[in-house]
Amino acid sequence: MKQRLLVFLFISILVSCGSTEDIKLEKEPDYIIAFGSCNREDAPQPLWSEILKNEPDVFLWGGDNVYADTDVPEVLGEAYAVQKSNEGYQKLLSSVPVYGVWDDHDYGQNDGGRDYEIKEESQQYFLDFMGVAKNDPRRDREGIYSSEILETPKGSIKVIMLDTRYFRDDLLRNSDANRRYEPSSGSILGEQQWSWLRNELETSNAQFNIILSSIQILSDEHGFETWGNFPSEAQRLKDLIVASEAKNVILLSGDRHISEFSEERINGLSYPLVDFTSSGLTHTYEAFDGEPNEHRVGEVVSKKSFGLLKFDFENSRVSMEMRGLNNRKQQDYIVEFQ
């Protein structure tokens, strides 16, 4: 790729007794994506109204959309029904299109992968929750991966949504009590999904390409679930992003009950690859006291949070924001591609 890059990095950290002033962009955004993850269907959900204050054009679920760890399919259906009846979520559904992926707790098994016994039934409940038509091709194939083209008068954004559960090989337990898993060989996506992803990136004409993964891609040192548990898969993804020449790729993730920005400089990529983690909507790791992440930019936010991406097509600019209660900005990161 022959792009020259200008990167503007602004970090605004929210302190416990104060607030931050919004960074003023040169113009109103052309398109706004909101996203979030880790949402208990039976818990208070105070952020839907805050999300709508930002007038997003679309909302993306990042996984753990409900918590229904079970081997009884009907329990999944009941959890989704509770979530869908939530008044705040109903207002969101009536305002904007909603797309997304699952993670482990809405898949149905904590840290679950390809051996989950009711994954076929779980897939159908997930598709029902997302309002996917009964004749949609996703109903008859394995996995919930999909893509959407978001068209605007200024240009398009492609959202590529990965399934990190249905095909994922077993995780390798770590003997260290402070680290749940350790790196091993194996696959996250499976060859069928890898082939699909390659085609999605190579044929994309969008000005921006968003890859939504339920688990973190760049942060790989903490010992919990991450693409780093399968290093060859993480490298394969980075290599594919470079080789595909898809424009302006941004990674989104959830799962961790914290929010953070990570970035990595990739050989052959003329801009920093950013992984924006936003988690969670109803509960977070409020006792968080630190963990390693060599790719972290700024600080970890351990309060309830949702993510925003504000697109400026004319200047190839994306402003990424973490926001929480009272729509308060917690931290942001701005990248301008040229």
Side-chain angles (χ1 to χ4, degrees):
M1 300 176 69
K2 297 181 180 179
Q3 294 175 310
R4 225 171 24 94
L5 174 73
L6 295 174
V7 178
F8 296 89
L9 174 61
F10 301 91
I11 299 294
S12 301
I13 301 172
L14 178 66
V15 295
S16 59
C17 59
S19 62
T20 60
E21 293 185 0
D22 289 357
I23 295 171
K24 301 299 183 182
L25 298 180
E26 296 176 3
K27 58 191 287 291
E28 289 297 311
D30 298 314
Y31 200 88
I32 299 176
I33 293 176
F35 80 106
S37 64
C38 300
N39 179 82
R40 291 191 179 277
E41 73 281 2
D42 55 356
Q45 299 180 25
L47 293 183
W48 299 121
S49 60
E50 309 307 319
I51 290 170
L52 286 172
K53 287 177 183 178
N54 295 277
E55 300 182 345
D57 295 284
V58 69
F59 178 81
L60 303 178
W61 280 112
D64 290 338
N65 312 320
V66 298
Y67 279 67
D69 299 64
T70 183
D71 56 3
V72 180
E74 291 76 16
V75 173
L76 285 163
E78 292 168 2
Y80 282 128
V82 170
Q83 178 55 38
K84 208 158 189 179
S85 67
N86 178 275
E87 183 178 354
Y89 184 58
Q90 279 289 323
K91 290 180 180 178
L92 181 87
L93 280 175
S94 65
S95 302
V96 299
V98 174
Y99 308 108
V101 299
W102 59 18
D103 197 35
D104 54 344
H105 297 292
D106 45 350
Y107 182 52
Q109 183 180 64
N110 184 41
D111 294 354
R114 64 182 176 87
D115 294 329
Y116 180 45
E117 292 183 354
I118 63 166
K119 64 182 184 180
E120 293 180 3
E121 294 92 333
S122 178
Q123 176 173 334
Q124 297 305 315
Y125 279 114
F126 172 85
L127 296 176
D128 289 344
F129 176 66
M130 298 304 299
V132 175
K134 295 296 184 181
N135 62 352
D136 188 283
R138 281 172 285 177
R139 295 285 186 174
D140 298 318
R141 64 161 168 78
E142 296 181 315
I144 55 95
Y145 57 89
S146 65
S147 67
E148 293 288 339
I149 303 293
L150 309 178
E151 298 285 0
T152 84
K154 300 290 185 67
S156 63
I157 303 163
K158 188 170 195 175
V159 180
I160 300 171
M161 293 167 277
L162 302 181
D163 186 335
T164 64
R165 295 291 161 191
Y166 202 99
F167 307 96
R168 199 215 66 211
D169 287 326
D170 292 340
L171 296 161
L172 181 62
R173 283 282 178 178
N174 198 313
S175 58
D176 184 347
N178 296 315
R179 295 178 58 85
R180 186 176 298 175
Y181 302 113
E182 63 180 64
S184 63
S185 61
S187 180
I188 295 176
L189 302 185
E191 287 306 313
Q192 175 182 336
Q193 189 175 182
W194 271 115
S195 178
W196 169 85
L197 175 58
R198 181 181 304 108
N199 183 67
E200 291 292 320
L201 286 170
E202 290 179 348
T203 61
S204 177
N205 295 314
Q207 186 168 341
F208 299 98
N209 290 274
I210 309 298
I211 297 178
L212 176 59
S213 164
S214 68
I215 58 174
Q216 290 183 307
I217 297 172
L218 298 186
S219 179
D220 58 7
E221 302 170 71
H222 47 69
F224 297 100
E225 283 206 276
T226 166
W227 278 65
N229 292 325
F230 299 91
S232 61
E233 291 282 273
Q235 188 59 52
R236 184 176 182 179
L237 178 60
K238 296 168 190 176
D239 290 344
L240 177 57
I241 290 171
V242 174
S244 71
E245 298 189 351
K247 296 179 181 178
N248 305 338
V249 175
I250 297 171
L251 311 176
L252 303 182
S253 58
D255 176 58
R256 294 299 322 289
H257 307 282
I258 58 173
S259 296
E260 65 179 340
F261 297 117
S262 303
E263 72 163 32
E264 183 175 352
R265 297 282 178 167
I266 308 293
N267 288 334
L269 203 63
S270 62
Y271 54 88
L273 186 62
V274 176
D275 185 351
F276 180 2
T277 302
S278 183
S279 172
L281 290 168
T282 61
H283 58 295
T284 60
Y285 186 13
E286 294 193 12
F288 178 86
D289 60 359
E291 67 182 29
N293 177 6
E294 66 175 325
H295 301 298
R296 182 180 298 131
V297 178
E299 302 293 331
V300 168
V301 170
S302 58
K303 297 183 181 297
K304 294 181 183 66
S305 184
F306 61 91
L308 292 177
L309 291 88
K310 299 180 177 180
F311 294 84
D312 176 350
F313 283 88
E314 182 179 357
N315 296 301
S316 294
R317 173 183 290 175
V318 182
S319 173
M320 292 170 267
E321 300 178 356
M322 300 169 191
R323 288 183 178 264
L325 296 175
N326 301 312
N327 199 32
R328 182 173 292 180
K329 185 185 293 185
Q330 299 159 326
Q331 198 166 200
D332 59 11
Y333 179 107
I334 300 175
V335 180
E336 183 171 315
F337 304 88
Q338 281 193 349

